[in-house]
Amino acid sequence: MDLTGFAEREPGVWTDEQGLVLSVHFFGLVPDLPASLDEPDRLRHGLALSAARAGGGLIEAVLGEVDTLPGVRQLIKIPRPNGYGLVFIGSWTVPRAGCSTVVKVQAAEGPVTGAREAVVLGRLDPSQYFIPHPYGPDIAGGLPYHVADHEQWDAQFPDHPLTRVRAALERITPTLALHEGFKALPPFSSRSHPETQRSGSGARRRWFRRQGQ
């Protein structure tokens, strides 16, 4: 992958001068995604429930490809551990039948928090700002879903951590190259893991609370 602007901090973890953290994770376990990639509505719903139950919020989940393999791209926000503000995480999860690879980019808010949200809220009626989660009306708890996280506002907040995470993931994605042995593994399906049969089981591996936050 393209590591322009990043310096290696430890094996599998890189940082840039603006505080972005890029990391690659391999899980040698059956993926515990809430549904297969050919069930997008059920998958998004389960991912949103999982993030909310963990105290965070799923901003978006989009299906796509990484080096010709199907995967799911997520943008998540979580409370900053032991501090104020939020951590924004963008990732690709590429599942196979018995394992998965996750590429993650994240950045945290600095001393000033909530500026993006305050500006956007000031321009809209509150009824237009806080809206039901698009992946299901039953998704509650965790961090609220609102329109200030939408991509349309990124250009007005180029230094915001969400903007930088979204842009970095978009730049890196076309350069990602997976190991040929990994690509040759059987694909993931809802039958790969018994837990995925239960609606809303979520991604219990909680990779979004791993190192570098």
Side-chain angles (χ1 to χ4, degrees):
M1 60 183 170
D2 181 5
L3 294 173
T4 301
F6 286 92
E8 190 171 32
R9 190 175 76 186
E10 59 184 84
V13 180
W14 300 263
T15 59
D16 75 357
E17 294 182 350
Q18 293 182 304
L20 282 175
V21 180
L22 167 64
S23 57
V24 178
H25 309 264
F26 174 79
F27 298 101
L29 300 169
V30 175
D32 50 5
L33 291 172
S36 62
L37 301 184
D38 58 3
E39 301 175 282
D41 291 341
R42 186 165 171 246
L43 175 63
R44 294 187 185 103
H45 180 262
L47 292 172
L49 280 177
S50 178
R53 290 169 180 170
L58 178 65
I59 297 171
E60 65 179 35
V62 179
L63 301 183
E65 288 189 350
V66 175
D67 192 16
T68 73
L69 288 189
V72 56
R73 188 192 74 205
Q74 298 181 67
L75 284 173
I76 289 178
K77 55 185 178 181
I78 62 173
R80 188 173 187 175
N82 304 316
Y84 297 99
L86 302 176
V87 177
F88 294 89
I89 304 170
S91 70
W92 275 105
T93 298
V94 184
R96 306 307 280 162
C99 60
S100 62
T101 294
V102 173
V103 178
K104 181 173 68 169
V105 181
Q106 65 185 66
E109 288 186 302
V112 178
T113 64
R116 175 173 175 150
E117 293 83 351
V119 170
V120 176
L121 179 58
R123 297 177 183 177
L124 301 174
D125 184 273
S127 63
Q128 298 173 306
Y129 182 83
F130 292 106
I131 60 177
H133 202 290
Y135 301 150
D138 60 329
I139 297 167
L143 297 174
Y145 184 88
H146 55 70
V147 299
D149 291 332
H150 290 183
E151 187 174 5
Q152 71 187 74
W153 300 103
D154 284 358
Q156 299 182 46
F157 303 94
D159 297 323
H160 190 274
L162 175 57
T163 300
R164 293 189 288 113
V165 163
R166 192 182 262 130
L169 194 62
E170 182 176 356
R171 177 178 66 83
I172 291 169
T173 297
T175 74
L176 293 172
L178 298 168
H179 191 281
E180 291 301 320
F182 179 82
K183 294 172 67 175
L185 294 172
F188 173 76
S189 73
S190 58
R191 296 186 179 88
S192 299
H193 196 303
E195 289 294 328
T196 64
Q197 300 301 316
R198 296 192 296 177
S199 178
S201 61
R204 292 180 179 79
R205 205 151 295 137
R206 301 288 186 245
W207 54 262
F208 50 85
R209 289 192 178 276
R210 291 175 65 84
Q211 62 186 346
Q213 296 177 1

